[in-house]
Amino acid sequence: MVAQIIDGKLFSQRLRDKVALNVADLKNNHKITPGLAVVLVGEDPASQVYVKSKGKQTKEAGMNSYEYKLKEDTLELDLLKLVYDLNNDDAVHGILVQLPLPPHINEEAVINAIDPAKDVDGFHISNVGLLATGQSSMVPCTPLGCLLMLKEFHGSLSGMDAVVVGRSNIVGKPMAQLLLNESCTVTITHSRTKNLEHVVGRADIVVAAVGKAEIVKGNWIKPGATLIDVGINRVEGSNGSKRLVGDAEFSSCSEVAGAITPVPGGVGPMTIACLLVNTLVACCRKYGLSEPDIKLS
Ligand code: GUN
């Protein structure tokens, strides 16, 4: 079997076009421009790239982008003060503090200082709780992007066996919650899971989100299963050049899976598109306007 490629680039473009249409409508009919504030502390090269990309795509969707670049040695108190000010700024509908933060800053304290209504990452404990109880919340962007692609591809996911490899707060746990809310039978695996290959081999849907280059191999995958690869790992090729690979070995997995997301060009572009969706949703909720119906097709 040769897997069908799930084209995250194409899906994310469709999603961003829909967001841009909704933003244009908000501007024309309500004189409201959604605004997203992104805060970066320090100079982590990967975070700098992500933040730049977020700002660019926010502006392309017609929204206001506010970028705050703080020094590596910024005090936690000063970051909390900025979050407080953004919470109280009516032009800001979404706030994202790029992670990881420098080690002297308590990430949980900062995340939980964000107004949950502006928490476009969906990391605040009250959004986590709302998602876990199936209530309206802000849904973390990467898992939301994965779910939208899965639903676009399969329609209903009800009754499917789903295995999530990785238990991070950013991807693994919320991904499992979203799949459970779609009536999948969900297993979360992690570094202590016994016989990981066997567990993965039962799945109709595999979401690989461990941050380890190419650990999921083709002979782990049930023939015809759908594989969503969240990993973005920079590895050195045989000629010394750097290339990006996922958490799954694409060459072997794509021979067995029914469908697979490539790296790059799969989950990555969907994450930022979902950030724009969340900012739009936060803005609509603030003004009591109907939320956009975001489906891909
Ligand atoms: N760092 C890596 N992924 C993310 C994300 O989704 N949100 C934030 N805030 N930081 C990240």
Side-chain angles (χ1 to χ4, degrees):
M1 171 173 284
V2 177
Q4 211 171 316
I5 302 295
I6 303 178
D7 188 343
K9 242 170 134 173
L10 178 73
F11 286 165
S12 72
Q13 185 60 56
R14 276 195 223 152
L15 207 48
R16 284 181 286 138
D17 289 346
K18 283 190 186 175
V19 170
L21 280 177
N22 278 276
V23 170
D25 177 64
L26 274 179
K27 285 180 171 175
N28 292 335
N29 296 327
H30 302 277
K31 310 289 169 234
I32 297 168
T33 304
L36 172 65
V38 175
V39 181
L40 173 66
V41 184
E43 268 146 40
D44 178 73
S47 292
Q48 283 178 327
V49 172
Y50 292 138
V51 165
K52 192 169 167 199
S53 217
K54 284 168 185 171
K56 179 168 175 278
Q57 293 189 33
T58 302
K59 286 182 225 151
E60 281 170 3
M63 301 186 189
N64 288 328
S65 166
Y66 308 101
E67 275 181 35
Y68 297 85
K69 294 191 174 156
L70 308 183
K71 289 207 215 104
E72 179 84 24
D73 62 359
T74 296
L75 295 178
E76 182 177 311
L77 198 63
D78 290 330
L79 178 56
L80 289 170
K81 169 82 171 58
L82 172 60
V83 168
Y84 178 83
D85 289 344
L86 295 172
N87 284 343
N88 291 303
D89 186 337
D90 282 335
V92 172
H93 305 97
I95 302 169
L96 180 146
V97 177
Q98 185 67 29
L99 303 178
L101 288 169
H104 67 279
I105 298 180
N106 180 340
E107 271 182 12
E108 281 173 8
V110 173
I111 289 167
N112 291 322
I114 297 172
D115 176 351
K118 296 189 178 189
D119 169 36
V120 283
D121 261 327
F123 296 162
H124 189 287
I125 43 169
S126 65
N127 280 316
V128 176
L130 289 167
L131 179 65
T133 49
Q135 300 178 70
S136 169
S137 65
M138 280 286 150
V139 179
C141 304
T142 300
L144 178 59
C146 296
L147 183 74
L148 290 175
M149 287 193 288
L150 282 167
K151 288 179 78 166
E152 174 77 11
F153 194 78
H154 285 286
S156 169
L157 308 180
S158 180
M160 295 176 91
D161 277 314
V163 170
V164 179
V165 187
R167 57 173 157 180
S168 70
N169 290 339
I170 294 183
V171 186
K173 286 184 209 163
M175 185 75 244
Q177 196 63 63
L178 285 172
L179 292 164
L180 186 61
N181 292 353
E182 295 296 323
S183 302
C184 291
T185 303
V186 183
T187 305
I188 307 178
T189 68
H190 45 77
S191 54
R192 304 287 173 91
T193 297
K194 289 185 210 141
N195 208 347
L196 179 60
E197 306 166 39
H198 176 76
V199 178
V200 169
R202 291 201 309 251
D204 304 309
I205 295 169
V206 180
V207 180
V210 264
K212 290 206 174 111
E214 299 181 315
I215 75 154
V216 176
K217 309 290 182 195
N219 60 5
W220 296 19
I221 303 291
K222 178 161 96 175
T226 300
L227 174 55
I228 305 289
D229 191 347
V230 178
I232 303 176
N233 309 288
R234 196 171 287 275
V235 295
E236 203 161 308
S238 48
N239 60 359
S241 67
K242 295 267 192 326
R243 63 190 180 100
L244 288 182
V245 299
D247 289 352
E249 188 181 65
F250 187 84
S251 57
S252 59
C253 291
S254 61
E255 282 175 11
V256 186
I260 188 169
T261 58
V263 177
V267 174
M270 287 298 285
T271 296
I272 301 186
C274 287
L275 175 64
L276 304 181
V277 170
N278 281 353
T279 305
L280 177 64
V281 166
C283 182
C284 291
R285 284 182 188 166
K286 173 173 170 157
Y287 299 104
L289 300 168
S290 59
E291 288 175 30
D293 181 22
I294 299 293
K295 293 202 194 80
L296 290 176
S297 51

